[in-house]
Amino acid sequence: METQNKDLKYWRSRRATLEIEGRAFIDGTYREAQSHHTFDCISPIDGTLLARIAACGEADVNDAVCAARRAFDSNGWAGLNPRARKAIMLRWAALIREHADELALLETLDAGKPIADTTTVDVPGAAYCIEWFAEAIDKVCGEVAPADQHLVGLVTREPIGVVAAVVPWNFPLLMAAWKFAPALAAGNSVVLKPSEKSPLTAIRVARLALEAGIPPGVFNVLPGGGETGKGLALHRDVDCIAFTGSTPVGKLITQYAGESNLKRVWLELGGKSPNIVLPDCADLERAAKTAASAIFYNMGEMCTAGSRLLVHRNIKEAFLDKLIDATRRYVPGNPLDPATAMGAIIDQTQLDRVLGYVDTGRREARLLTGGSRAHVVDGGFYIEPTIFDTDNGNALIAREEIFGPVLSVITFDTIDEAVRIANASDYGLAAAVWTADLTTAHDVSRRLRSGTVWVNCYDEGGDMNFPFGGYRQSGNGRDKSLHALEKYTELKSTLIRLR
Ligand code: NAP
Ligand code: MG
């Protein structure tokens, strides 16, 4: 199989025999929703029905949370030596790698992402994330705090209990892994709610978790819509909710926690990230190619999308020529074709939303390229990569998160002006600056109010070592890195009197 040329024909033939599981995974078994209700899982590639998925309601939320609580209280997972949890999680990651083709195909069919990306980023990235936290967890030590002679003071981290994870559809498996890997490694039980737009890979890997040896009830997957997520966020026996999604829903999650049991709330939310090209940028060609991938990779359905391109007036015309050239790489194509760099938009609703912003853009800015629906596969949802010149950036399209392949170009004259525009946003997830001057690089990156700053690059740092998250309304807390463990643990001080 490995030597086979994995072309469009290969993926089509795999699809023909693919079995798709659509049931919830609770307490170690696949189950229908108690109401027997389902929702349709539609492929954005061609609008066809992939599967009917269990629409989990309140009763299922309760079942999953109870199973997770029982598993936690039994100490069968939390009580293991961290080395044992590590071994099991490494087996799980290995199983994910063994099933990589199947999982990548599921992700591509479900979310319209190019197979070239799901095979190289989403699936191996999720396996790597599990491996990283598995490898880390038996090396994390507590502290012995300085204290009076008669005391021994221990500072330890303990698992928090039942963690609910509610995730979006743009990187369905990877965003989920960023939550469940550290949460499970730390000894918690997890109830994962994938987006109803992309539930398939989460449902599939649950079974692999059981096969790897994760005890029943420790990892549960509850497909359903916003109401299912709300049920988890309001549940009094959920200790922590880790959410990735939009800022408006993030605000609701915070409210639900306040209305119920003050569960810990961790939010990874939206962005409108500035990518600043200064006139001393050493390689405009590379900056232009990177600016294109910063907004058009994953169809622009990226929380970190470099959706505001700030270009200095003196280099603007030359830079835009190069950028439009670089955009040709992102012609929408069939996501199952390995040559495709730009796949389908997740669904009709999101396509309409993006086209709505494009219409607004046509009225308030100058269209430089794109702007139309693309017709790739009948019944599918495709749009051309689109660039607007918005001049000063006051346009609506330059301020609101579009979550699609639409770039707003903004012109500036001074570094101070660029920093001011960059920071004039409710968001603060990521930012980038291109400059050949070391001092400017440090100075500007210090002044940018965002969780990540890239200098002379964008979207680098695919390994797990860098904390990821936002300032301001882009959220709180950090995914990835050892800092992620802080979200899923309580800190305990134990003071022992010796005499
Ligand atoms: P969303 O509409 O906020 O949904 C996110 C998740 O919350 C989905 O599972 C959704 O379920 C669920 N949900 C919806 N309403 C809910 C409610 N009232 N209570 C509890 N859960 C609820 O976001 P999205 O459209 O899926 O994703 C796009 C957004 O995610 C963008 O704003 C993007 O920037 C952000 N994002 C952020 C990051 C980051 O790390 N900062 C990463 C990726 C995406 P259903 O989908 O089933 O309705
Ligand atoms: Mg789908």
Side-chain angles (χ1 to χ4, degrees), residues 5 65 113 156 161 178 198 206 220 228 254 261 326 333 377 380 411 428 447:
N5 178 20
V65 172
K113 297 162 69 83
T156 49
W178 285 11
S198 59
N220 309 275
T228 315
T254 308
N261 62 341
V377 183
T411 318
R447 291 165 68 192

Side-chain angles (χ1 to χ4, degrees), residues 279-318:
D280 71 338
C281 166
D283 187 347
L284 282 187
E285 192 80 37
R286 206 164 70 77
K289 278 190 184 145
T290 309
S293 71
I295 180 67
F296 299 130
Y297 180 74
N298 209 52
M299 294 67 74
E301 296 166 346
M302 297 275 289
C303 49
T304 54
S307 51
R308 290 189 291 153
L309 176 67
L310 279 68
V311 190
H312 192 276
R313 193 177 304 278
N314 292 353
I315 54 165
K316 181 175 168 185
E317 287 316 313

Side-chain angles (χ1 to χ4, degrees), residues 16 74 88 121 150 160 184 246 254 265 272-273 279-280 322-323 355 393 454 456 471:
S74 77
I88 292 170
V121 176
H150 68 275
I160 201 164
L184 290 171
S246 62
T254 308
V265 176
K272 189 75 182 177
S273 299
D280 71 338
K322 291 184 200 306
L323 174 68
L355 288 170
W454 288 291
N456 296 330
Y471 282 27

Side-chain angles (χ1 to χ4, degrees), residues 74-231:
S74 77
N75 231 14
W77 179 248
L80 287 179
N81 183 319
R83 283 176 67 184
R85 285 206 297 277
K86 164 169 111 174
I88 292 170
M89 289 183 68
L90 288 178
R91 267 205 298 279
W92 188 20
L95 285 171
I96 288 174
R97 290 190 188 277
E98 268 171 42
H99 291 80
D101 275 9
E102 178 196 351
L103 288 164
L105 181 58
L106 281 173
E107 202 80 306
T108 288
L109 291 172
D110 199 0
K113 297 162 69 83
I115 195 80
D117 296 343
T118 53
T119 49
T120 56
V121 176
D122 297 76
V123 175
Y128 172 57
C129 176
I130 296 169
E131 288 159 359
W132 197 93
F133 283 103
E135 291 285 4
I137 201 62
D138 63 344
K139 298 162 192 79
V140 181
C141 299
E143 302 157 26
V144 180
D148 223 78
Q149 272 297 309
H150 68 275
L151 284 176
V152 176
L154 306 178
V155 183
T156 49
R157 287 203 171 269
E158 297 184 343
I160 201 164
V162 175
V163 173
V166 176
V167 296
W169 43 262
N170 59 337
F171 288 84
L173 185 57
L174 190 59
M175 288 301 101
W178 285 11
K179 314 280 187 218
F180 66 61
L184 290 171
N188 298 282
S189 297
V190 171
V191 181
L192 167 65
K193 193 207 86 71
S195 168
E196 64 186 329
K197 299 178 184 186
S198 59
L200 299 182
T201 45
I203 293 174
R204 180 66 183 98
V205 298
R207 177 63 204 245
L208 299 179
L210 189 75
E211 279 173 40
I214 293 186
V218 170
F219 183 65
N220 309 275
V221 177
L222 273 189
E227 281 300 307
T228 315
K230 181 176 176 180

